[in-house]
Amino acid sequence: MVLTIASHAQQTKPKWKAPHRTIPKWVSPKRENEEEVLELWRPYGVSDNWFVDFNVGTSVPFSENMEFGDAFKQYRPVFDFGVGKQFSYLWSTKFNVGYKQTFGKICDDADVNEIVDYYGNEYLFKMCVISINEQIDLTNLLCPYNENRKFGVQAFAGVGVNYAWGFPKKMKNLIREGYEFDNRDHVNLDLCLGAQCLYKLSRAVDASLRVSANLIGDNHNGLTHGTFADPYVFAGLGVVVHLQDYYGDYRYKKVHRWEAKSLRTQHASIAKYLNDEKKAELKSREESEVVRIGELMKTHVSFYVDRFYVNDEQLENLRIVADFLKDNPDVNVIIKGYSGASDNCESPVMHLAQKRVDAVKKRLIRNLKVDSSRIETWYDEEAKAPFEMKGEWIDAVVFEMTRR
């Protein structure tokens, strides 16, 4: 008898898995002319890139008659004020005025000890320095330019005029006693060479530490020792305040080449556009409940593909809106933002619609002084823009006026 045993192993059914899908990475459309992505400096004018500089510190003279003086008394306060202009991201010129009261010592010569003991050995006088300084930014010279850099070092050299006056009356008595001292006012050449360290506190303000070595005419203190000049050292702390430029910024900035082409070149066409006829047409619609500026005056803001910078040409369109709000205090504005995501020329993950609305709002508030309480915003990253794209432009922000 044959015994047959059948064995059936239990089989486990494999779990279903969704097929893996590879999502292609979004790539910005390539422009025909690649050189257009080159970055250029904005076209700055005479009124741009000015700054003021204020320092408070001390100076130490190294004149021949000070070698035996009290070191502590030699440290005198100095006040320094300057106005300058940047001609490039490397080079700037500053007109500087400084004032200080400085300390002098007559002599310890045995022949005049009796005179010195009677009249006193120390004296004070005043000095004013007016100079022109040329400044080179060493940080930008040695490292790639970065407008957001916190630290910077500048070297400077200057030439100016030093005016000394205010010698005490007792010096006349010393002269009558035969002591050689010139108590007249003195004008001398003043040369300086130094460095300045800067720390960025805000968009417009830098803290500074300034040190310089100076040479001044030998007779500036009323005493002549036959040398060409007397040295002194200045050290001080201060602030540098950068003034607002044409674009509403405070420091040198770069833009893409196609943007640089349009900056400051559209004034004639803009002036023609802002004529009395258009303003009269806008006034005729003031009584309506909703005034759509984009449809009525074709006032909308266009952007280059993948960009959210409001250039000068578009800034004039904002000025139309600001003027209307100024003339109509009972009207508010809604800023509506779009991107080219619906046309597959821009990526929705870049949040361009939101960034463009924020850029336009910031321009209205900061440059055109529109009250922020009168501005509302709306944006949609995937909605189709209300205007067709032309070349590299996307008409991405429109305005709607509503009664308050």
Side-chain angles (χ1 to χ4, degrees):
M1 181 177 67
V2 180
L3 180 63
T4 303
I5 302 175
S7 175
H8 299 279
Q10 185 177 3
Q11 296 183 355
T12 304
K13 187 178 182 180
K15 187 177 180 180
W16 183 86
K17 292 183 179 180
H20 180 70
R21 292 188 301 170
T22 302
I23 301 176
K25 185 178 179 181
W26 184 87
V27 179
S28 176
K30 190 174 182 180
R31 298 183 176 89
E32 295 180 2
N33 191 355
E34 284 297 333
E35 70 174 3
E36 288 295 331
V37 302
L38 293 176
E39 288 189 337
L40 303 176
W41 295 108
R42 283 176 174 172
Y44 290 109
V46 176
S47 61
D48 299 323
N49 307 117
W50 286 84
F51 62 91
V52 293
D53 187 353
F54 181 76
N55 293 274
V56 178
T58 186
S59 68
V60 183
F62 292 94
S63 307
E64 296 86 343
N65 67 318
M66 296 302 298
E67 60 186 9
F68 41 76
D70 186 343
F72 181 76
K73 291 183 179 180
Q74 294 180 29
Y75 294 94
R76 312 301 299 181
V78 178
F79 302 94
D80 197 278
F81 177 77
V83 177
K85 174 177 171 55
Q86 281 188 271
F87 293 96
S88 74
Y89 71 105
L90 292 176
W91 167 48
S92 60
T93 298
K94 184 175 71 169
F95 177 78
N96 206 73
V97 178
Y99 167 81
K100 70 174 180 176
Q101 185 182 51
T102 190
F103 175 78
K105 198 173 180 68
I106 297 173
C107 193
D108 275 356
D109 194 327
D111 296 334
V112 294
N113 273 342
E114 294 182 0
I115 299 174
V116 168
D117 291 341
Y118 182 79
Y119 290 108
N121 197 17
E122 302 168 354
Y123 64 96
L124 294 174
F125 63 100
K126 302 170 185 176
M127 289 200 312
C128 179
V129 181
I130 301 175
S131 62
I132 294 180
N133 296 339
E134 298 298 325
Q135 303 181 153
I136 297 294
D137 196 308
L138 298 179
T139 307
N140 291 334
L141 181 64
L142 301 176
C143 306
Y145 179 76
N146 182 359
E147 64 192 49
N148 298 316
R149 184 181 288 121
K150 287 289 186 180
F151 292 96
V153 178
Q154 294 179 341
F156 61 88
V159 59
V161 175
N162 184 295
Y163 177 67
W165 80 101
F167 295 99
K169 294 181 180 179
K170 72 176 183 179
M171 308 312 291
K172 295 182 180 179
N173 298 327
L174 286 170
I175 295 172
R176 284 195 292 266
E177 295 287 348
Y179 187 68
E180 294 184 2
F181 188 90
D182 188 355
N183 68 333
R184 296 175 299 177
D185 296 351
H186 298 281
V187 178
N188 290 280
L189 188 67
D190 192 301
L191 304 176
C192 75
L193 183 66
Q196 184 171 244
C197 298
L198 300 171
Y199 177 75
K200 184 178 179 182
L201 298 177
S202 68
R203 295 173 62 239
V205 181
D206 296 332
S208 68
L209 170 63
R210 184 179 172 197
V211 179
S212 68
N214 298 61
L215 283 178
I216 188 175
D218 181 45
N219 69 338
H220 76 282
N221 55 6
L223 299 171
T224 302
H225 295 85
T227 58
F228 168 73
D230 289 337
Y232 68 93
V233 173
F234 166 80
L237 298 173
V239 294
V240 179
V241 180
H242 300 266
L243 304 183
Q244 194 175 57
D245 61 22
Y246 179 84
Y247 308 99
D249 292 309
Y250 301 88
R251 302 175 192 269
Y252 263 75
K253 285 194 175 183
K254 286 184 175 182
V255 292
H256 283 134
R257 182 175 176 179
W258 66 81
E259 292 175 333
K261 287 180 179 179
S262 67
L263 298 177
R264 292 195 173 189
T265 60
Q266 306 294 331
H267 295 292
S269 60
I270 291 169
K272 185 177 180 181
Y273 181 75
L274 296 174
N275 51 48
D276 295 337
E277 213 173 276
K278 292 292 182 182
K279 290 182 179 179
E281 185 179 358
L282 180 60
K283 274 195 172 183
S284 66
R285 297 289 300 275
E286 285 182 1
E287 298 303 322
S288 62
E289 193 64 26
V290 177
V291 180
R292 298 185 180 275
I293 300 293
E295 296 175 2
L296 177 61
M297 297 188 65
K298 303 302 180 186
T299 304
H300 50 269
V301 181
S302 299
F303 294 87
Y304 292 104
V305 174
D306 296 338
R307 300 287 287 175
F308 54 90
Y309 168 72
V310 182
N311 65 19
D312 290 356
E313 181 180 357
Q314 304 304 316
L315 185 60
E316 295 302 327
N317 293 332
L318 299 188
R319 187 167 283 111
I320 297 174
V321 178
D323 290 343
F324 182 82
L325 292 173
K326 183 178 179 181
D327 295 337
N328 299 269
D330 61 331
V331 173
N332 284 348
V333 63
I334 302 175
I335 304 173
K336 294 189 173 183
Y338 304 85
S339 71
S342 58
D343 297 324
N344 297 322
C345 61
E346 292 180 330
S347 171
V349 300
M350 295 177 68
H351 302 290
L352 291 172
Q354 179 183 358
K355 292 178 180 178
R356 286 163 176 168
V357 166
D358 292 341
V360 169
K361 181 179 179 180
K362 185 181 295 184
R363 283 282 195 173
L364 284 171
I365 295 172
R366 182 176 297 168
N367 297 97
L368 302 174
K369 310 304 180 186
V370 176
D371 189 348
S372 60
S373 65
R374 301 180 64 185
I375 300 176
E376 298 180 36
T377 57
W378 176 93
Y379 56 87
D380 191 329
E381 303 292 348
E382 297 184 355
K384 187 174 180 62
F387 300 97
E388 294 183 3
M389 185 177 73
K390 299 178 181 179
E392 293 184 340
W393 288 88
I394 292 180
D395 296 320
V397 170
V398 297
F399 300 96
E400 182 178 287
M401 298 296 183
T402 59
R403 295 291 176 187
R404 301 176 70 174

